[in-house]
Amino acid sequence: MTGANEFKLAQGPEDSVSAVKFSPSSSQFLLVSSWDGSVRLYDASANSMRMKYQHLAPVLDCAFSDPTHAWSGGLDSQLKTHDLNTDQDTIVGTHDAPIRCVEFCPEVNVLVTGSWDQSVRLWDPRTPCNAGTFTQPEKVYTLSVAGDRLIVGTAGRRVLVWDLRNMGYVQQRRESSLKYQTRCIRAFPNKQGYVLSSIEGRVAVEYLDPSLEVQKKKYAFKCHRLKENGIEQVHPVNAISFHSVHNTFATGGSDGFVNIWDPFNKKRLCQFHRYPSSIASLSFSTDGSLLAIASSYMQELGDVSHPADAVFIRQVTDAETKPKST
Amino acid sequence: MGRKKKKQLKPWCWYCNRDFDDEKILIQHQKAKHFKCHICHKKLYTGPGLAIHCMQVHKDTIDGVPNAIPGRTDIELEIYGMEGIPEKDIQDRRRVLEQKSQESQKRKQNQDDSDEDDDDDEDEAGPSSFQQPTAQPQAAYMAPMTQTGIHLGPQAQGMPSAGYAGMPPMLTGVPPMIPGMPPVMPVMPPGMMPMRGMMPPGPAMPPMMPGMLPGMPHHVGRPGMPSMAPAAPVTVPGLASRPAVPITQSAASKPLFPSAVQAQQTVSGPSSTSSDSPKVTFPAYTQPPSTSSVVPASSSTVAKPPATVTSKPATLTTLSATSKLMHPDEDISLEERRAQLPRYQRLIPRPGQTAATAASAPPSGAVGGMMPPQQSGMRHPIHGQYGGPPQAMSGFMAVGMPPYGQNAPMVPSYQAGPVGPPMGIRPSVMSPGSRY
């Protein structure tokens, strides 16, 4: 199924993959967190697993704070950081409920976690220690960093924008423009806005500037829907990742497809072949040359037998990711 | 520009009544949906143009404009964007739009009345955005009983506001009652009329109505729901026929209910509204045809399920008869749902739990015996700069066992690592790769 420009990672996790993240400095290293409780570091160029560490329970998200430090959190509610040079890990702190998201903000140099305990916590990566707990209206399902701002997507379709330098109040309270549960939010690299996806095969492109003329530009579109025997199967769009250079983004859905979209011309640039399972996570490398695609069944239809979980690394070309200038 | 505009309306497609922001987009839409040749997919400019093309090129005739609503399929009318639309239809459209906006305003006002009583925890801008969509489905449901339904609506909404104040407890009890709906639904048409008579006198009505109606526009899943659940089955039999109408109302004004009913039907058993309900499968949902048959015209109407419900997560509406949402019914995230599976629940450390449980998960099953194989074996690969850690780790054996608090003293010895004291509560040890 894979072509010459794509390969499957060896020694993959033993259960579904929850997140894949490329290192901020190189497209060589990739972090993969999984429901088997492990967080693994891979060398994508050599297709080998370099390091692995465990949590007590499934890990839901992972992130790099810098090329040598990995952070992860999951159902055990513990935030761990792992030093990739010394191969040591540390429990930095906890939430009161499972940690769902772990992201790093380079501009403010703070690590952010979001949890089902309805709070977002900031952590200083240097000490490392807790730098604040901030209550959200609902369980946090997804979050993304845009410059020095934090966009949090919670249950109940709420979206909150925080200023990481001033967390005393919420900068913007919004409601998702999609009518179904928010699945994933990712901010544009140009920090102008964010992309939000829902469980109902739909993606919205929104802007942060609250002024009316900018808000008018927002739009939404349907995607990841398959028509089979007259019934339209509407799949959750689980993953979004931006190409840092072109500001185009890829979406991955439970239909097993990855699409690349050009948000400015509102066109789809490319669709890859169908992957064996739902796409659980996507990550473009910092230089935009590789896309890590985690294909794992996510229990959308209950506990049924499903293809094995895998992470694919694909070389992407400009043709696939660059907006077409007509 | 200086003269009165013939069409102040936003551009809309005469063939299918869809609204557009821009005439340019409208034309693109028409070309793609209505003026496209079904044989060769060539996009023509007008209806007659399409007809002529089919005749000349494919020797085929067409009866009407493709994808047009009944009544608007005239192939001979030359419509391009907003040009060519018969004056009568423009006026009809204007009237319909005015009606719709009036209706939604009226509804909003009624909602606002019950809104004030209904303080609760929602602050989302839901209600107004719901009005339009709910207006239509309501009409759709009420098809057999158009007048009665729609009249009943505003009236009923008036009532609840009155009766609501004293009814909060019932409010929560009401939604669980909905389960009665599907069986009752077919009864509705005859039920509708008797209902009307019953409404004013019905003593049981007020408890239901306020619950249903104000509850509807807002959220179904009141946090209090579970507590009321036991009451629900009791009340249902007593109000067997009455629930029909208010539920109709609720079904109509809040598309959430029908599918919620079906989903909840399986759950609404007396005791099942407890915390394990999320695990209950919803057989009703897995058969899209049957599910959607109850929700005929709610094509993609809003489902705004309430968020945090402690034990009974809200359910999603189905989209329509032709769409199936590939997602479990409850409106919790996929990860939450998965975390509830026993094989993962076992792994979540609870305060005071011993490491035995924690360690039982990993394939290697190094239960409690964290140490022995530790060493370098831990990390497969090439890396390993173990240095200090391995020794420190062996020191840790015991750590995993007792509740975390006790490990505090152990921690300092670990300081070998880069971390400082604030590191915190848990022993950093937990990681030792012994896991696998």
Side-chain angles (χ1 to χ4, degrees), chain A residues 294-307:
Chain A
S295 159
S296 285
Y297 179 60
M298 301 180 72
Q299 307 270 329
E300 297 90 345
L301 303 173
D303 232 344
V304 298
S305 71
H306 56 87

Side-chain angles (χ1 to χ4, degrees), chain A residues 15-16 49-50 52 54 85 87-91 138-139 141 157 175 179-181 183 232 234, chain B residues 303-304 307-308 319 322-324 326 331 335-336 338 344 379-381 385 414 419 423 431 435:
Chain A
D15 200 345
S16 299
M49 184 177 86
R50 294 292 202 105
K52 176 174 115 164
Q54 286 284 146
N85 281 331
D87 200 4
Q88 288 213 45
D89 57 48
T90 312
I91 296 180
E138 292 283 357
K139 293 178 272 192
Y141 281 170
R157 301 164 48 244
E175 202 190 25
K179 296 169 182 161
Y180 282 79
Q181 184 195 120
R183 193 83 184 100
E232 187 188 32
V234 177
Chain B
K304 192 169 174 181
T308 49
L319 295 179
T322 53
S323 299
K324 182 183 173 205
M326 311 298 281
D331 194 27
E335 290 74 25
E336 278 177 290
R338 191 180 181 152
Y344 298 119
R379 318 280 176 206
H380 306 273
Q385 316 184 350
Y414 184 75
V419 208
M423 178 162 68
S431 58
R435 217 35 62 115

Side-chain angles (χ1 to χ4, degrees), chain B residues 288-324:
Chain B
S290 61
T291 308
S292 22
S293 65
V294 183
V295 185
S298 65
S299 45
S300 341
T301 40
V302 177
K304 192 169 174 181
T308 49
V309 179
T310 47
S311 54
K312 192 177 196 175
T315 51
L316 306 170
T317 47
T318 49
L319 295 179
S320 71
T322 53
S323 299
K324 182 183 173 205

Side-chain angles (χ1 to χ4, degrees), chain B residues 14 77-87:
Chain B
W14 180 84
L77 260 187
E78 177 131 356
I79 291 181
Y80 182 66
M82 293 292 281
E83 290 170 31
I85 300 183
E87 182 64 31

Side-chain angles (χ1 to χ4, degrees), chain A residues 3-257:
Chain A
N5 55 350
E6 182 177 279
F7 63 88
K8 185 164 105 165
L9 271 186
Q11 292 176 298
E14 280 139 25
D15 200 345
S16 299
V17 177
S18 52
V20 289
K21 290 266 173 76
F22 267 105
S23 163
S25 60
S26 90
S27 54
Q28 192 184 0
F29 294 105
L30 177 74
L31 267 188
V32 175
S33 61
S34 158
W35 282 78
D36 69 0
S38 71
V39 179
R40 300 168 191 232
L41 178 75
Y42 289 90
D43 178 338
S45 51
N47 190 6
S48 68
M49 184 177 86
R50 294 292 202 105
M51 201 177 291
K52 176 174 115 164
Y53 67 95
Q54 286 284 146
H55 276 251
L56 295 172
V59 186
L60 298 183
D61 202 3
C62 56
F64 278 95
S65 57
D66 60 56
T68 57
H69 288 87
W71 295 68
S72 51
L75 295 189
D76 59 4
S77 314
Q78 294 177 348
L79 174 65
K80 275 200 185 183
T81 178
H82 193 91
D83 183 327
L84 302 170
N85 281 331
T86 63
D87 200 4
Q88 288 213 45
D89 57 48
T90 312
I91 296 180
V92 178
T94 60
H95 270 263
D96 303 322
I99 297 176
R100 175 67 186 91
C101 327
V102 179
E103 293 284 343
F104 180 67
C105 173
E107 254 186 56
V108 182
N109 195 26
V110 69
L111 190 99
V112 187
T113 52
S115 156
W116 294 339
D117 69 358
Q118 305 192 9
S119 76
V120 159
R121 291 179 197 207
L122 300 190
W123 311 83
D124 176 357
R126 284 163 303 194
T127 9
C129 66
N130 187 322
T133 300
F134 306 96
T135 315
Q136 311 296 311
E138 292 283 357
K139 293 178 272 192
V140 177
Y141 281 170
T142 176
L143 50 83
S144 180
V145 166
D148 60 357
R149 291 206 270 191
L150 175 71
I151 306 165
V152 181
T154 69
R157 301 164 48 244
R158 317 269 201 120
V159 176
L160 296 104
V161 182
W162 297 80
D163 177 355
L164 284 167
R165 299 187 204 272
N166 182 357
M167 294 288 284
Y169 64 96
V170 186
Q171 208 179 60
Q172 287 182 35
R173 274 179 213 276
R174 301 168 160 222
E175 202 190 25
S176 158
S177 51
L178 301 182
K179 296 169 182 161
Y180 282 79
Q181 184 195 120
T182 304
R183 193 83 184 100
C184 181
I185 291 180
R186 285 288 179 263
F188 274 80
N190 65 15
K191 306 165 197 167
Q192 299 295 310
Y194 58 91
V195 171
L196 187 155
S197 71
S198 78
I199 55 172
E200 185 241 0
R202 219 180 278 256
V203 167
V205 174
E206 306 235 18
Y207 293 90
L208 286 172
D209 183 344
S211 74
L212 269 180
E213 326 103 52
V214 176
Q215 285 304 305
K216 267 202 256 176
K217 295 197 280 175
K218 75 177 185 189
Y219 63 93
F221 59 93
K222 298 190 225 182
C223 50
H224 297 284
R225 297 174 175 215
L226 303 176
K227 199 129 193 181
E228 229 165 280
N229 310 326
I231 302 272
E232 187 188 32
Q233 295 181 341
V234 177
H235 293 269
V237 183
N238 306 305
I240 301 174
S241 179
F242 270 91
H243 188 285
S244 42
V245 179
H246 301 314
N247 274 286
T248 52
F249 62 94
T251 58
S254 294
D255 54 353
F257 282 104

